Amino acid sequence: MKTSETIYQLLIQEKDYLSGETIAEQLHISRTAVWKAIKSLQASGVQIDSAKHKGYRLTSGDIIIPEQLENNLGISVTYQKSCQSTQTEAKLGIQNKDNVPHLYISDHQEKGKGRYDRNFYSPQGGIYMSLRLTPNVPFQEIKPYTLLIASATVKAISQLTGIETDIKWVNDIYFNDKKIGGILTEALTSIETGLVTDMIIGIGLNFSNVVFPKAIENKATSLYNQNPTITRQDLISRIWTLFFETPEKDLLKVYKDKSLVLDKQVTFEENHQFFKGIAKEITDQGHLIVKLDNGETKKLRSGEISLSSWS
C-alpha cells in the first residue's frame, strides 16, 4: 500500500488533528515523506486542514484503495484516476487476459456511456466501475445481472446511510425522483460455441457531485450534496459484497419492492408507436408486464424499448 494511502487511513480514523511527528513515528518514515504524502492526497481531491503545532486533519473527500478492496472482496481490482470508460477497460482486460472476476474502477470517465450509446456524465467525485465475469453459458441461462446489481446498490445505500433509493425499470437508480445512477450490462458471445463468454456489468453513481450540465441539472442529483457520512470505498465494497453473497431470489425481491413503475401508469415507444398502460409485474428475467388501456398485455424486454414516462 502506498504511503499516502496508509496516511489517509490514519487520518480518516482520527477525528482530531494528527501531528506529522506522530504519523512519521507510526509509519517509520521521515517528516518530509509525510508532507509529500499529504500533498499527494490533496492533489487527489482530499481536503486536509493543517495547523501549526497541531498537525493534519481530514475535513472532506476520500480516495479509493484497490488493495483493500481486493482483500475485502477476494477478487482482482484495477483502479485508475481517469480512463475512457470502465467498460472499455474491462474489454481491454479480455485482451490482456486479466484475472476474473475483475473489477475496474475510475475516479473519472472521459467518455462514459449508458444504454443506446448515450453519454454518461462522469466527473470527479462519482463512482464508476465495471465487473467482468466469465459465465460461459448459453444466453438463455444468463442471470439477470442488471436487476441483481441494481438491487445490491439500493440495498447497500440503505444499509450504510439509511437513505432510501428506488429503481426505474430497467437500469436506473433514483433518489427523490431524480437519477443518481445508471447500469450498463454487456455480453460477449462466442460464435463458435454460442456461449456467453464474458459479461461486463457497469455502474455509474453520482456520489458527491454537486454541479451538473444544464441539460440534466433538473433530472440528476447525487447521493450527497455535502459532507458524505460514508466513503466511496465503503459503498463500493458493500455493493459487491451484497452482489456476490446475497441469494438471487432475495435480490430479485428487492428489485420489485423498490420499483418506481409497478402499479403505475406508463407510456412507452415500441417500433415507432406509443403505448400506454399499467405496469403490473416484473418477471425474474427482468421483463416488464404492462396491461394496456385496451386490455391487451405486453411484455417489455430490456434493450427493446425505453419508458418515456410514468406516474
Side-chain angles (χ1 to χ4, degrees):
M1 191 177 297
K2 297 177 182 177
T3 300
S4 59
E5 294 173 346
T6 305
I7 290 177
Y8 165 79
Q9 290 189 311
L10 291 176
L11 292 176
I12 202 170
Q13 294 169 14
E14 183 64 49
K15 294 182 179 179
D16 205 349
Y17 286 91
L18 197 60
S19 72
E21 183 179 3
T22 299
I23 295 172
E25 288 178 354
Q26 287 190 26
L27 302 184
H28 305 291
I29 59 177
S30 68
R31 292 284 298 276
T32 300
V34 172
W35 179 81
K36 287 182 178 179
I38 293 293
K39 290 299 180 183
S40 175
L41 288 170
Q42 291 173 328
S44 298
V46 180
Q47 301 299 312
I48 298 174
D49 182 35
S50 61
K52 196 172 183 179
H53 305 306
K54 288 185 177 181
Y56 305 102
R57 181 170 63 91
L58 192 151
T59 58
S60 66
D62 64 12
I63 62 171
I64 293 169
I65 305 175
E67 182 179 336
Q68 192 176 68
L69 285 171
E70 287 187 335
N71 292 335
N72 290 345
L73 300 173
I75 64 174
S76 298
V77 177
T78 295
Y79 163 74
Q80 298 180 77
K81 289 186 177 181
S82 181
C83 69
Q84 292 273 307
S85 78
T86 56
Q87 292 290 98
T88 300
E89 293 302 312
K91 292 171 186 174
L92 289 173
I94 299 173
Q95 300 176 25
N96 297 333
K97 298 182 180 179
D98 289 349
N99 292 333
V100 183
H102 203 118
L103 182 61
Y104 300 84
I105 307 174
S106 184
D107 279 335
H108 165 250
Q109 295 183 122
E110 296 172 11
K111 295 183 179 180
K113 293 291 182 183
R115 295 175 72 208
Y116 310 117
D117 208 34
R118 298 189 186 108
N119 291 329
F120 188 92
Y121 182 59
S122 311
Q124 191 84 16
I127 293 175
Y128 315 109
M129 54 186 178
S130 297
L131 178 73
R132 178 185 159 222
L133 301 172
T134 51
N136 282 310
V137 298
F139 191 82
Q140 59 270 25
E141 295 180 18
I142 284 292
K143 294 181 179 182
Y145 288 114
T146 299
L147 278 64
L148 301 181
I149 191 57
S151 299
T153 300
V154 299
K155 191 175 177 70
I157 291 171
S158 177
Q159 288 182 350
L160 290 176
T161 70
I163 295 171
E164 296 302 324
T165 53
D166 300 292
I167 304 168
K168 174 179 169 280
W169 188 85
V170 61
N171 68 321
D172 290 333
I173 309 299
Y174 269 63
F175 175 43
N176 289 339
D177 295 323
K178 291 185 176 182
K179 182 175 176 177
I180 65 166
I183 297 161
L184 176 62
T185 305
E186 298 181 277
L188 282 76
T189 305
S190 167
I191 295 177
E192 293 180 354
T193 66
L195 301 179
V196 176
T197 57
D198 295 89
M199 180 66 63
I200 301 173
I201 309 163
I203 179 166
L205 279 175
N206 301 329
F207 183 77
S208 59
N209 316 41
V210 293
V211 178
F212 294 93
K214 279 195 172 294
I216 63 171
E217 64 181 2
N218 294 322
K219 302 176 183 178
T221 189
S222 283
L223 186 61
Y224 291 101
N225 290 320
Q226 58 182 357
N227 302 325
T229 59
I230 62 171
T231 66
R232 289 177 298 161
Q233 182 102 352
D234 294 331
L235 186 52
I236 291 168
S237 183
R238 184 64 63 89
I239 286 172
W240 294 111
T241 296
L242 289 171
F243 175 81
F244 284 118
E245 297 182 2
T246 307
E248 184 175 323
K249 63 180 179 62
D250 293 343
L251 288 179
L252 290 175
K253 183 178 186 303
V254 170
Y255 188 94
K256 297 170 186 180
D257 289 344
K258 302 298 289 184
S259 171
L260 269 177
V261 301
L262 281 181
D263 299 320
K264 294 182 180 179
Q265 180 174 280
V266 299
T267 60
F268 60 93
E269 183 181 0
E270 186 178 45
N271 298 325
H272 306 293
Q273 184 178 356
F274 280 92
F275 297 88
K276 184 169 67 173
I278 302 296
K280 304 297 291 184
E281 179 188 352
I282 297 172
T283 71
D284 288 351
Q285 294 74 39
H287 303 151
L288 183 66
I289 307 299
V290 178
K291 186 174 183 180
L292 302 182
D293 289 351
N294 63 8
E296 180 187 351
T297 297
K298 268 191 170 291
K299 179 188 287 187
L300 311 184
R301 295 172 172 81
S302 62
E304 293 181 0
I305 62 94
S306 179
L307 293 176
S308 55
S309 68
W310 69 97
S311 60

